[in-house]
């Protein structure tokens, strides 16, 4: 998938994401150290961690996302090394105290084998006692909430029509999104994006984490300290390497 045009409007679409809460969640359990931000996107979370004092490394599969992240770091006066890597292949990256996979990025992996390989790769990249933090869509969100589409955003600068259908695999979805990006006062550019996501049960993620050599420290829901319920939409995991 090419993220060229999508990268250019990504920050506008994500402006309501509570990144500060994500940082607080991580910092409440791991206050400092070398941090690897996987699937970093345009680098918003990486910047926040760096400004808090973490020694941050950022990676993403998209060259376009990384270009925008590097521009962000440069403008902020931060030295954050970046790598173009898939989450399930972190060869050469080691010695981290923290790894983050934020904002349902793990759900873009298409198979359970890729998720398991990602956990194995993160385990190798972490120091003993290091922690992995990530969040995923719940099965409830994928199977029910997303089926309430289409979703519409009508904004002055960026608007979209978002239609979701069930994917070929269990608990998977295909998002077809039409964007309308303002170029001039009465002129908008339209482009199309297709995104595929898949999730698994919390117990399945837990089994894979334990098999990779982690102990699970917490499983919570929806940017809170509450345990997941049947109606939870986003599940958060904190796991420690042993």
């Amino acid at each position: 998938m090419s993220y060229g045009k999508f990268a250019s409007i990504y920050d506008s679409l994500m402006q309501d994401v509570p990144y500060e809460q994500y940082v607080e969640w991580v910092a409440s359990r791991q206050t400092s150290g070398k941090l690897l931000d996987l699937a970093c996107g345009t680098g918003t979370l990486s910047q926040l961690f760096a400004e808090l004092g973490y020694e941050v490394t950022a990676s993403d599969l998209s060259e376009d996302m990384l270009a925008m992240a590097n521009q962000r770091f440069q403008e902020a006066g931060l030295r954050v090394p970046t790598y173009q890597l898939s989450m399930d292949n972190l060869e050469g990256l080691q010695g981290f105290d923290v790894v983050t996979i934020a904002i349902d990025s793990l759900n873009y992996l298409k198979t359970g084998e890729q998720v398991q390989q990602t956990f194995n790769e993160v385990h190798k990249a972490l120091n003993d006692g290091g922690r992995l933090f990530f969040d995923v869509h719940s099965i409830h969100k994928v199977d029910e909430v997303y089926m309430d589409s289409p979703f519409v955003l009508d904004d002055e600068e960026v608007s979209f029509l978002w239609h979701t259908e069930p994917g070929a695999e269990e608990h998977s979805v295909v998002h077809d999104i039409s964007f309308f990006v303002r170029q001039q006062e009465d002129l908008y550019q339209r482009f199309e994006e297709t995104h595929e996501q898949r999730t698994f049960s919390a117990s399945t993620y837990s089994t894979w984490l334990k098999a990779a050599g982690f102990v699970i420290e917490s499983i919570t829901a929806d940017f809170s300290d509450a345990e997941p319920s049947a109606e939870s939409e986003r599940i958060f995991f904190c796991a420690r390497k042993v």
Side-chain angles (χ1 to χ4, degrees), residues 103-209:
I103 317 301
D104 58 81
S105 295
L106 198 68
N107 292 131
Y108 280 91
L109 298 178
K110 295 183 178 181
T111 69
E113 289 76 16
Q114 286 178 294
V115 178
Q116 293 175 74
Q117 181 61 23
T118 296
F119 291 160
N120 290 333
E121 290 287 293
V122 170
H123 190 271
K124 289 188 292 184
L126 282 167
N127 295 322
D128 290 343
R131 290 179 171 87
L132 166 63
F133 299 84
F134 69 93
D135 65 279
V136 290
H137 292 317
S138 69
I139 289 177
H140 167 70
K141 183 173 184 179
V142 170
D143 289 355
E144 298 183 42
V145 176
Y146 273 139
M147 294 304 107
D148 288 335
S149 76
F151 309 106
V152 177
L153 171 68
D154 187 7
D155 188 73
E156 288 186 5
E157 300 300 324
V158 179
S159 300
F160 66 69
L161 177 62
W162 184 313
H163 182 73
T164 300
E165 294 183 351
E169 303 292 340
E170 186 178 29
H171 311 315
S172 69
V173 287
V174 179
H175 308 292
D176 289 316
I177 317 168
S178 298
F179 292 99
F180 304 87
V181 183
R182 188 175 185 178
Q183 305 296 308
Q184 299 176 18
E185 183 173 353
D186 295 317
L187 178 63
Y188 287 78
Q189 179 188 16
R190 174 176 175 167
F191 66 93
E192 311 289 332
E193 288 275 339
T194 297
H195 293 241
E196 298 180 26
Q197 291 189 298
R198 184 181 183 187
T199 200
F200 300 89
S201 68
S203 61
T204 297
Y205 286 114
S206 297
T207 296
W208 291 340
L209 284 166

Side-chain angles (χ1 to χ4, degrees), residues 80 89 114 185 210 212 226 233:
V80 178
N89 184 4
Q114 286 178 294
E185 183 173 353
K210 292 173 184 176
E233 295 188 13

